[in-house]
Amino acid sequence: MQGLMMNTPLLISSIAEHGAKYHGGREIVSVTADNPRHRYTYRECIGRARQLANALDKLGLEHGDRVATLAWNDYRHLEAYYGMSGAGYVCHTINPRLFPEQLVFIINHAEDRWIFTDVMFVPLLEAIADKISGVEGFVVMTDEAHMPETSLKNVVCYETLIAAESAEFTWPELDERTASALCYTSGTTGDPKGVLYDHRSTVLHAFAAVAPDTMNLSCHDSVLPVVPLFHVNAWGIPYSTFITGAKLVLPGPKMGDGEVLCELLDTEDVTLALGVPTVWLGLLQYAEKAGKRLDKLQRTIVGGAAVPRSMIEAFRDQHGVDLRQGWGMTETSPLGAANSTKAGMESLTPDERLDLATKAGRGLFGCEMRIVDDEGVELPWDGEAYGALQVRGPWVCSDYFKLEGGAGSHTDDGWFDTGDVATIDPGGYMAITDRTKDVIKSGGEWISSIELENAAMGHPAVAEAAVIGISHPKWTERPLLIVVKAEGQEVSKEELLAWYDGKVATWWIPNDVAFVEELPHTATGKIKKIELRKQFTDYQFPE
Ligand code: ADP
């Protein structure tokens, strides 16, 4: 017997209308290339998204067609999110920091029909224009006064495009499984792969994101996503804010600017900020140098890469900010786990709390997890056994766009293999030990590069650390610690290696330390291990 409840589709347009109706006056503040502080409201945002939807319909697009964005976090990009997906098109967010060849691959593979771009990325598009001939036109996301000279064909000014349209639009009643957005993984191995989100997955993910033990988001919050809208939909923030009515603060091209971020945190009363560890490393350094305390900020969600214990400590002790770790990936929309304490943990000592906070977190309801060994046999949740992390749920990808099983990423029984190696403790707290391809195999045993990096980051003279495996005649591989020294600090190789005593097993201690001026980062701010391995291909351990 079927239940008797309404089969109302879960649609992104319903999030838009809910936000505009219940929180219409809530503010959205943006830094844009043409305005240091643009301010307007949810209501205006959705009105303009409807204008855009009208304009898109007139471009002769079919539902399901991909329309790309190449832009920073600001209000126009947000309008594009709602206008495109809501009207039935697929909003394909592109990471502008990719290599030109990757951009060409992604745009052609996605068959993008139009590209919406920030002014500053116009030269990037001009350089590849002859290789993306399938693209019919470009919308530059600015006003007439700031339109650039360009050799691109069929170029339209965003403000002019939408000014001609009505703010009335009837959103189509789509099937909730209709594709809504497309995001390519960074493709550190092989070509980038497209993850195609749908309306249902997006709405369910947004529900899970706002929950108290995930982001604990409400209309009383002011949220600063320092994670780009092209990095897995800024972790769903455009949707979770509109569900709750939280104020939204968008840093535009100033993502990496400690001064602007600190100012936004303060003047816009930001209570929750989100970003990858590298971003916070820069911000914490800036705050320390400038003698600033992040007084208003209550909590940060940090994920996308391992979070060093020293960072959690710095937020807590220097700024009174609660750092909550999250885990996820492009394929999981991205939130799969979040770290918050459980009932019964009130008596944990500050040190025990720190230990717990270094873990990635508990699987959210909606994202099941398991760890398996090489034969696919499930491993116990004892916090010791480590294996391949597999997940499944309604916001986990079931395949890649136009790849039909070709990635070999899914098991026969329907789980997605994340490519991460993890432990899960009896309380359900999952900790990432490594990405499968970064794990260091020493004499048949595994060494976690993440744990070695975290321990090194705790040394006051270390600004940033990475550990890679270097081939070794006897042990197959041994760890090499690569360090960027903190400004004005000195430390020797011997001191750093001695620092590991008592922190990790003796046989884990790296064989050597290399000092570098800076580490290579991916477009989303993660340490680029592939690049590091290339830099150190000829490296040999001292005799
Ligand atoms: P990319 O493949 O481009 O790095 P993602 O942004 O999807 O794309 O990255 C997902 C990966 O980031 C995960 O598979 C995992 O290795 C890493 N990651 C995410 N969160 C954490 C975390 N809390 N701790 C350690 N690693 C993490």
Side-chain angles (χ1 to χ4, degrees):
M1 185 167 65
Q2 295 255 294
L4 285 171
M5 305 311 280
M6 291 185 189
N7 191 14
T8 311
L10 302 174
L11 296 178
I12 287 172
S13 55
S14 59
I15 298 182
E17 292 304 331
H18 175 87
K21 214 174 264 164
Y22 286 92
H23 307 284
R26 200 55 162 139
E27 207 176 20
I28 299 170
V29 183
S30 308
V31 178
T32 69
D34 52 46
N35 189 342
R37 279 302 176 284
H38 175 275
R39 294 174 187 279
Y40 73 169
T41 61
Y42 272 32
R43 194 177 299 113
E44 290 170 274
C45 171
I46 298 308
R48 284 165 53 94
R50 291 193 215 103
Q51 286 175 275
L52 174 61
N54 276 315
L56 288 167
D57 277 357
K58 289 191 188 142
L59 288 178
L61 302 166
E62 308 253 336
H63 278 180
D65 280 348
R66 273 73 65 204
V67 184
T69 63
L70 203 60
W72 291 117
N73 291 12
D74 68 25
Y75 66 103
R76 294 189 182 107
H77 200 176
L78 184 66
E79 293 161 10
Y81 257 62
Y82 280 113
M84 291 174 187
S85 304
Y89 309 109
V90 176
C91 175
H92 172 204
T93 51
I94 304 180
N95 183 340
R97 296 192 194 122
L98 294 174
F99 292 123
E101 312 85 75
Q102 288 177 313
L103 287 176
V104 169
F105 173 85
I106 287 178
I107 293 166
N108 289 332
H109 188 267
E111 300 170 71
D112 292 326
R113 290 191 60 184
W114 278 76
I115 298 181
F116 282 56
T117 178
D118 275 352
V119 174
M120 68 172 72
F121 302 126
V122 167
L124 210 71
L125 288 166
E126 286 172 339
I128 58 168
D130 58 334
K131 300 195 185 80
I132 51 168
S133 51
V135 177
E136 289 157 43
F138 302 87
V139 178
V140 184
M141 299 170 88
T142 189
D143 53 19
E144 287 293 349
H146 295 89
M147 279 297 279
E149 286 280 321
T150 173
S151 59
L152 290 173
K153 301 277 177 307
N154 206 10
V155 175
V156 183
C157 167
Y158 181 86
E159 289 299 334
T160 312
L161 178 78
I162 69 166
E165 303 299 333
S166 154
E168 300 289 314
F169 181 79
T170 308
W171 302 105
E173 276 259 342
L174 305 165
D175 178 317
E176 63 180 15
R177 297 297 308 274
T178 303
S180 59
L182 178 63
C183 183
Y184 281 74
T185 62
S186 61
T188 36
T189 49
D191 283 328
K193 297 189 282 289
V195 178
L196 190 61
Y197 309 104
D198 58 41
H199 287 256
R200 173 186 148 86
S201 69
T202 306
V203 175
L204 290 175
H205 178 266
F207 275 131
V210 304
D213 286 343
T214 316
M215 291 192 190
N216 192 16
L217 206 62
S218 85
C219 57
H220 303 292
D221 279 306
S222 168
V223 185
L224 174 74
V226 196
V227 48
L229 283 164
F230 56 76
H231 187 205
V232 215
N233 302 320
W235 304 354
I237 281 297
Y239 311 113
S240 40
T241 45
F242 270 66
I243 283 186
T244 53
K247 173 174 168 179
L248 194 48
V249 184
L250 301 168
K254 299 292 183 184
M255 289 270 180
D257 188 324
E259 191 177 348
V260 174
L261 292 180
C262 265
E263 206 218 309
L264 285 173
L265 287 170
D266 190 41
T267 55
E268 303 305 333
D269 300 321
V270 173
T271 54
L272 169 69
L274 307 95
V276 297
T278 336
V279 161
W280 299 131
L281 217 55
L283 184 94
L284 288 171
Q285 276 164 7
Y286 169 82
E288 191 171 346
K289 233 182 181 172
K292 293 213 157 83
R293 195 169 183 275
L294 311 175
D295 281 327
K296 294 181 180 159
L297 189 64
Q298 294 168 3
R299 55 198 198 283
T300 57
I301 306 276
V302 187
V307 184
R309 189 186 163 98
S310 52
M311 180 176 289
I312 308 171
E313 228 170 347
F315 266 116
R316 185 190 68 183
D317 299 344
Q318 289 161 28
H319 302 284
V321 173
D322 182 26
L323 184 154
R324 194 173 274 192
Q325 186 163 172
W327 170 89
M329 50 200 310
T330 310
E331 290 86 338
T332 62
S333 295
L335 287 172
N339 192 332
S340 57
T341 50
K342 277 180 155 182
M345 287 182 166
E346 297 76 12
S347 57
L348 289 184
T349 64
D351 240 25
E352 287 167 334
R353 271 174 193 264
L354 267 182
D355 287 341
L356 183 81
T358 59
K359 300 193 171 196
R362 285 179 280 128
L364 307 184
F365 172 69
C367 184
E368 276 180 86
M369 299 194 163
R370 68 181 186 188
I371 42 173
V372 302
D373 67 12
D374 288 346
E375 274 73 51
V377 177
E378 236 190 294
L379 294 165
W381 289 21
D382 59 8
E384 300 283 330
Y386 51 82
L389 176 68
Q390 300 183 342
V391 296
R392 68 173 178 191
W395 59 83
V396 176
C397 75
S398 63
D399 204 348
Y400 291 100
F401 183 51
K402 291 177 26 186
L403 214 64
E404 284 109 47
S409 49
H410 289 75
T411 65
D412 292 340
D413 58 346
W415 291 71
F416 169 68
D417 204 322
T418 62
D420 283 338
V421 180
T423 60
I424 304 180
D425 73 16
Y429 288 84
M430 183 271 287
I432 302 283
T433 46
D434 247 316
R435 286 197 119 169
T436 320
K437 51 186 185 291
D438 295 336
V439 118
I440 298 160
K441 296 173 197 86
S442 174
E445 300 272 3
W446 284 9
I447 296 177
S448 159
S449 65
I450 289 185
E451 254 184 71
L452 291 176
E453 287 158 8
N454 275 348
M457 293 282 288
H459 193 286
V462 174
E464 210 177 359
V467 173
I468 55 169
I470 297 282
S471 63
H472 189 280
K474 180 165 173 203
W475 302 106
T476 318
E477 272 184 344
R478 288 294 303 160
L480 169 70
L481 170 65
I482 305 166
V483 162
V484 179
K485 285 185 214 163
E487 223 180 289
Q489 300 269 357
E490 268 316 316
V491 64
S492 71
K493 185 184 288 194
E494 292 71 24
E495 280 172 81
L496 281 179
L497 295 180
W499 174 253
Y500 279 112
D501 282 339
K503 295 191 174 72
V504 298
T506 339
W507 65 274
W508 277 36
I509 298 179
N511 286 33
D512 197 13
V513 185
F515 293 100
V516 293
E517 288 300 316
E518 59 177 353
L519 290 172
H521 290 101
T522 67
T524 47
K526 305 182 193 194
I527 296 172
K528 221 183 207 167
K529 295 256 174 109
I530 284 220
E531 189 60 41
L532 265 187
R533 281 192 280 267
K534 262 192 223 149
Q535 276 178 28
F536 284 86
T537 32
D538 296 330
Y539 172 89
Q540 284 184 331
F541 285 120
E543 284 299 313

